[in-house]
Amino acid sequence: MPTSPQDPQRAPRTAVVVGTGAIAHSHVRALRALGDRVEVVAAVDVDADRAAAFAAEWSVPRTAATLTEVLADGPVDLVHVCTPPAAHVDLSQEALAVGATVVVEKPVALSLAETDRLLAAERASTGSVAVVSQHRFGSGVQRLRSLVEDGSLGRPLVTTCLTQWYRADAYFQVPWRGTFALEGGGTTMGHGIHQLDVLLAVLGPWEEVSAMAAHGSRPTETEEVSVATVRFADGSLASVVNSAVSVRETTVMRFDLQFATVELTHLYGYRDDDFRVTAAPGHEEAVEAAWAREPRGVPSSHQAQFRAVLDALDTGGTPPVPLAAARETLELVAAVYASAFTGKPVRRGEIDASNPFWAAMDGTGAVWH
């Protein structure tokens, strides 16, 4: 008889965390908050001291220098990839080879080429890849997405998407940061990708991008600012700003629809009360009733997504956000770079294997090189 996601008789899922830097702590904290549904059985890091300190802090019973060592001892359910981006694809492929479910941080890969290689590995595996996209899972975005899909707020018209963050020079002293070869890009790839992901989750497919990028105020080879205009398949437009030089940090998404404006203002995570809804004249009651719907009370978080991953595993579904959906977001990121560095608009689907921006986000080289 099938068991439900909350069945107390189900043995805990086993999880391995690979990479024990700052984001790994967020992963384990979120997993621990899910109680006995999952057990972290090993921590993997090339730095033995860091792995030991991490294991001691979180009472993880085992450490190892490589994922290979852990997988050799038997199957695990989940492999959480929390390393710098350059290692994501190889580690994910290794986990897929033994049928594990991979939960990998953004960006999932350094390029569309690497993503397509991982998609091929996923198709050959009984496992799957879920890409961390925690802002999709707060109740506010879940509700907004539902209301846009069913037309309760009317047709989307124009959206503003601002990721205005601040990173001092010291942030880029970590060797892999600020390089196309190891990080894949700058603030567009590393910061703005979270909001771009929400943009696509709410508005659906994009069609065309025109962008510019700027560089020179930080010790980095990548952009510190990008500005883009995006046209969506429904005809609506979005203005997108990504910045690592904004001293007063903020994250703002504003959706102007036929019957309402929905504004979300936060920084690194949101709650329901971070949304502001303004109805168009004559639509006040309908908009108020629509926005009062469920779900409610769930902040954007790793915990919310990991709960959904476990629910999918327990019911035989595909863990969210699947790799194919994450590729759509990465394609939009690649289009921003391609447009910024070529000075030309880029259409969805244009960046294929014959295009230099498929193999690397800087294509044949950033314009300031």
Side-chain angles (χ1 to χ4, degrees), residues 102-143:
V102 183
V103 179
V104 58
E105 273 292 336
K106 267 192 172 71
V108 62
L110 299 179
S111 67
L112 292 174
E114 283 194 354
T115 307
D116 290 344
R117 175 160 61 91
L118 188 56
L119 277 165
E122 184 182 50
R123 288 192 292 270
S125 171
T126 57
S128 60
V129 177
V131 181
V132 173
S133 309
Q134 70 269 27
H135 295 316
R136 289 192 184 210
F137 292 86
S139 51
V141 165
Q142 293 270 313
R143 188 163 63 256

Side-chain angles (χ1 to χ4, degrees), residues 84 170-183 219-221:
Y171 175 81
F172 298 100
Q173 299 310 304
V174 177
W176 56 268
R177 285 189 179 139
T179 67
F180 285 101
L182 297 177
E183 191 174 13
T220 166
E221 68 179 44

Side-chain angles (χ1 to χ4, degrees), residues 250-315:
T250 189
T251 302
V252 178
M253 300 193 76
R254 172 176 168 145
F255 299 84
D256 290 313
L257 304 106
Q258 285 179 295
F259 308 144
T261 291
V262 179
E263 297 169 273
L264 168 60
T265 302
H266 66 108
L267 187 51
Y268 300 134
Y270 64 82
R271 298 178 179 273
D272 282 344
D273 57 9
D274 292 318
F275 287 81
R276 178 182 178 185
V277 181
T278 305
H283 295 273
E284 291 85 356
E285 289 187 10
V287 168
E288 182 179 358
W291 193 253
R293 293 184 198 168
E294 298 294 330
R296 307 194 68 83
V298 179
S300 65
S301 66
H302 286 78
Q303 181 182 338
Q305 182 169 2
F306 295 171
R307 180 184 294 111
V309 168
L310 291 175
D311 289 348
L313 289 178
D314 290 350
T315 58

Side-chain angles (χ1 to χ4, degrees), residues 309-369:
V309 168
L310 291 175
D311 289 348
L313 289 178
D314 290 350
T315 58
T318 300
V321 170
L323 181 57
R327 190 196 188 280
E328 295 174 4
T329 302
L330 201 65
E331 184 185 10
L332 177 55
V333 172
V336 170
Y337 285 114
S339 178
F341 294 160
T342 65
K344 300 176 182 178
V346 175
R347 294 186 62 85
R348 183 168 178 248
E350 183 177 325
I351 303 176
D352 58 17
S354 68
N355 190 306
F357 290 91
W358 179 76
M361 289 291 165
D362 60 341
T364 55
V367 292
W368 45 78
H369 282 188

